[in-house]
Amino acid sequence: MNCIIVDDEILAQDVLENYISRTPILNLLGKFENAFDLFKFLHSNTNIDLIFLDIKMPEMSGLELVSSLKNIPNIIYTTAYHDHALEAFNLNAIDYLLKPFSYERFLQGVSKAMSTKNLSQENTIAVMKDDKVFIKSDKKLIGINVNDILYVESQRNYFVIFMINKQKRVIHNTLIYLEDALQGYDNIIRVHRSFFINISMVKEVANNIATLEQDIHIPIGQIYRDQVMAKLKII
């Protein structure tokens, strides 16, 4: 597996590089000290299978970076803090390694990454006519009419699609997978690390809150605000 290291601590980079060099199935392609350099690297390199990513870094955290990307590789978070574990697993985490961690614990995370390496190939998406998309969940394909979506909310290892008719569908998959499935449907956009909305259902936006039909209030994350304003054609 091709992998990269992102950590602002050189000592932490050295530990990971040593562990990777002792692991024949891993091929280190690069090391970065901040999320912005990783962001630029990922936009020109698509052959990455695994990222060892620190969470607390200057300017942009690892979690903020991952929530802003789509089609990202598997992530093993490496951190000295345990209080971000739940959020990390909502953002494509394969494992969560608390520093300092042993080589044996490192190998456990790598083994998890190996077992899920082909997951994206299994997550088949079939987009049909009449704006219906079929989304894989628990080995089933669930048909959703995209125009009937009001909003989508991530909840741990699954997300819930709330429909205009007040029905909801629970999908056992990731929001990143959903974002791939909805490519080409410009009215469904991500507005927060945990939310998508149907932009045509927005009644008003105030104080970084979008109010939808049925008086549903959805937070707008700072990194998504410009995208939302552009979609609403707000100057």
Side-chain angles (χ1 to χ4, degrees):
M1 290 187 294
N2 291 327
C3 63
I4 53 179
I5 297 169
V6 187
D7 199 308
D8 62 328
E9 298 178 0
I10 301 302
L11 179 59
Q13 285 190 13
D14 291 344
V15 170
L16 280 168
E17 185 171 13
N18 175 263
Y19 287 174
I20 290 169
S21 68
R22 294 165 59 185
T23 311
I25 62 172
L26 295 179
N27 176 39
L28 181 62
L29 294 187
K31 300 185 294 181
F32 304 96
E33 295 181 20
N34 61 74
F36 290 112
D37 287 343
L38 171 62
F39 184 87
K40 291 185 290 185
F41 182 82
L42 290 178
H43 274 70
S44 59
N45 295 269
T46 59
N47 62 334
I48 307 301
D49 299 306
L50 179 62
I51 300 176
F52 295 96
L53 180 62
D54 190 16
I55 290 181
K56 292 199 173 183
M57 292 183 290
E59 299 185 48
M60 178 184 283
S61 73
L63 293 173
E64 289 172 332
L65 171 72
V66 172
S67 68
S68 70
L69 295 174
K70 56 185 178 181
N71 299 324
I72 64 171
N74 288 325
I75 304 289
I76 293 180
Y77 290 94
T78 60
T79 178
Y81 305 91
H82 63 80
D83 51 341
H84 296 288
L86 178 58
E87 188 176 8
F89 280 106
N90 282 337
L91 292 171
N92 217 44
I94 291 298
D95 208 343
Y96 190 94
L97 304 183
L98 281 173
K99 301 175 183 176
F101 48 86
S102 66
Y103 180 59
E104 288 72 22
R105 181 66 185 88
F106 169 86
L107 285 180
Q108 290 177 18
V110 172
S111 296
K112 292 179 184 179
M114 280 297 297
S115 67
T116 60
K117 186 173 185 295
N118 297 320
L119 180 62
S120 60
Q121 297 175 354
E122 298 173 2
N123 285 339
T124 305
I125 303 166
V127 180
M128 309 299 287
K129 64 180 182 178
D130 300 325
D131 290 326
K132 178 172 284 189
V133 61
F134 284 84
I135 301 176
K136 188 169 185 179
S137 175
D138 289 341
K139 300 182 180 180
K140 298 182 294 186
L141 288 175
I142 298 176
I144 301 291
N145 191 313
V146 176
N147 294 326
D148 290 340
I149 294 174
L150 182 61
Y151 71 99
V152 183
E153 180 179 4
S154 173
Q155 298 183 4
R156 297 191 180 184
N157 61 337
Y158 63 93
F159 57 85
V160 182
I161 300 178
F162 294 85
M163 313 298 289
I164 295 170
N165 62 6
K166 298 187 178 180
Q167 293 183 347
K168 62 183 181 182
R169 302 301 300 267
V170 177
I171 307 294
H172 291 271
N173 217 309
T174 65
L175 275 185
I176 292 171
Y177 169 77
L178 175 67
E179 196 162 22
D180 288 339
L182 295 178
Q183 283 187 15
Y185 295 99
D186 294 336
N187 58 320
I188 310 295
I189 65 170
R190 193 168 193 168
V191 298
H192 186 274
R193 64 181 60 175
S194 300
F195 290 96
F196 282 76
I197 65 170
N198 185 338
I199 201 72
S200 66
M201 294 291 136
V202 175
K203 294 168 58 178
E204 66 177 30
V205 175
N207 300 321
N208 289 331
I209 299 291
T211 300
L212 310 183
E213 299 293 338
Q214 304 177 21
D215 289 327
I216 302 296
H217 304 287
I218 304 296
I220 300 174
Q222 190 62 40
I223 62 175
Y224 300 99
R225 180 176 172 79
D226 290 345
Q227 172 186 260
V228 175
M229 296 301 106
K231 286 289 184 180
L232 292 172
K233 296 182 173 58
I234 294 177
I235 298 176

